[in-house]
Amino acid sequence: MKRILVPTDFSEHAEDALKIAAQIAKKINCEIFLLHMLELPSQMSDAISGGSGIPEVMLFIKKANETFQKIKERPYLNGISVTETVHFERASNGILAFSKKNKIDLIVMGSHGSSGIEELLIGSNTEKVVRLSDIPVLVIKKDIGKFEGKNFVFASDFSNEIKKPFKKMIEFTKIFDANLFLVMICTPNSFKTTLTGEKLMHAFIADFDIQNYSLHIFNDANVENGILNFSNSINADLIGLCTHGRTGLAHFFNRSISEDLVNHAIKPVITFKI
């Protein structure tokens, strides 16, 4: 991993994400790209594409660059190569295009506080990036201080299609020398006996050479509660999931999520596209 992208709207949530990106960058000596997207009215966009400068646009650019300079002076960024960019494009489209063009290895994004996982599921920019990104996306819910990453929960059905993103997940865990908790959530609607679940998981893991892992089967009323309850029970630092592209997180999460779940979904989540 060489390049981390942190999209920013200069909010507190974006800075929370940047703090975590900085900790990862220092661990593996990689570069951070800061990206601010400006969505302009059509007439302003036409002026930009035509090479014309108009006062409002120039003011936006000036303010963004001034804010970037202040951010780059943050002590937690000392010793890290940081490149800042302002793009004129719809946020989610611009983030995805920038990540491909610049060969980004990881996107780290902030999510708005109490909206938690709901924010990821109802059409936000973060959700769109998570849903469509071909590279891993780490979503930060709040300022968590030092990011240990030691206890890593990976929730899955452990089907064959998970094997490719699973390899990427293993590489990420090596950054933190993490203890990997592999968990299958069983619910009344997707029930498997312990024997069946263990057989599936052992067959899946046999194809990989990994250390510091344990296999778990956790029963709960639904998958999302199961993931959160299991993660809390082992004091997880990070939750890992796979996404199905345009189906978003629907593979794991019912889009009708209770307020209780949203309020407790505060742990960082990293997604890997199938």
Side-chain angles (χ1 to χ4, degrees):
M1 186 181 297
K2 297 296 183 182
R3 298 181 168 194
I4 299 175
L5 172 62
V6 183
T8 180
D9 57 1
F10 304 131
S11 67
E12 179 181 341
H13 308 292
E15 180 145 15
D16 292 341
L18 180 57
K19 290 176 182 177
I20 299 304
Q23 293 181 49
I24 297 172
K26 287 182 178 180
K27 276 185 172 290
I28 55 178
N29 190 30
C30 63
E31 183 178 2
I32 289 178
F33 288 78
L34 275 173
L35 177 64
H36 180 62
M37 304 301 303
L38 284 174
E39 295 187 36
L40 301 177
S42 58
Q43 65 271 24
M44 290 188 182
S45 297
D46 291 341
I48 292 294
S49 60
S52 302
I54 56 179
E56 293 89 344
V57 174
M58 302 311 294
L59 178 61
F60 289 148
I61 296 173
K62 181 175 182 293
K63 290 295 184 182
N65 286 328
E66 288 175 352
T67 305
F68 271 138
Q69 291 310 308
K70 291 178 182 178
I71 291 174
K72 290 175 70 173
E73 294 172 2
R74 303 282 201 266
Y76 60 79
L77 290 175
N78 287 346
I80 301 173
S81 175
V82 179
T83 301
E84 70 276 13
T85 306
V86 178
H87 272 202
F88 300 93
E89 195 172 353
R90 187 181 299 275
S92 56
N93 294 341
I95 291 166
L96 293 167
F98 185 92
S99 66
K100 289 181 180 179
K101 181 179 180 180
N102 292 276
K103 298 181 179 179
I104 299 298
D105 300 300
L106 173 68
I107 301 173
V108 184
M109 298 186 70
S111 171
H112 295 290
S114 62
S115 56
I117 287 181
E118 183 181 44
E119 174 80 7
L120 293 177
L121 297 176
I122 60 174
S124 68
N125 286 320
T126 303
E127 184 271 338
K128 292 175 184 175
V129 174
V130 165
R131 175 159 41 91
L132 299 175
S133 176
D134 291 327
I135 63 174
V137 182
L138 174 60
V139 181
I140 305 300
K141 312 292 189 354
K142 65 172 186 175
D143 186 355
I144 58 176
K146 187 176 181 181
F147 184 48
E148 297 288 351
K150 291 295 291 184
N151 291 338
F152 189 129
V153 169
F154 183 77
S156 174
D157 60 2
F158 299 98
S159 58
N160 285 332
E161 66 179 349
I162 305 298
K163 289 185 176 180
K164 185 176 180 180
F166 189 78
K167 291 179 181 179
K168 293 183 179 180
M169 185 276 302
I170 291 173
E171 290 303 312
F172 189 82
T173 64
K174 291 178 181 178
I175 297 174
F176 303 97
D177 191 25
N179 300 310
L180 184 56
F181 295 80
L182 304 177
V183 61
M184 176 184 290
I185 307 298
C186 288
T187 72
N189 292 328
S190 61
F191 179 76
K192 290 183 178 66
T193 65
T194 298
L195 190 62
T196 299
E198 288 178 345
K199 185 177 180 179
L200 281 171
M201 296 178 78
H202 280 294
F204 180 92
I205 205 69
D207 291 336
F208 300 92
D209 181 19
I210 60 173
Q211 307 296 323
N212 301 326
Y213 75 92
S214 55
L215 305 179
H216 304 267
I217 297 173
F218 193 84
N219 300 320
D220 214 315
N222 54 58
V223 175
E224 56 268 28
N225 280 345
I227 293 172
L228 293 177
N229 289 333
F230 177 78
S231 300
N232 288 333
S233 74
I234 59 99
N235 194 27
D237 300 306
L238 180 63
I239 299 171
L241 303 169
C242 289
T243 66
H244 264 109
R246 291 191 176 276
T247 59
L249 296 180
H251 182 58
F252 283 109
F253 293 108
N254 187 315
R255 287 182 177 267
S256 163
I257 297 179
S258 69
E259 183 177 350
D260 182 64
L261 169 60
V262 171
N263 289 336
H264 289 86
I266 57 176
K267 296 182 184 295
V269 175
I270 185 168
T271 61
F272 303 86
K273 187 175 180 181
I274 294 172

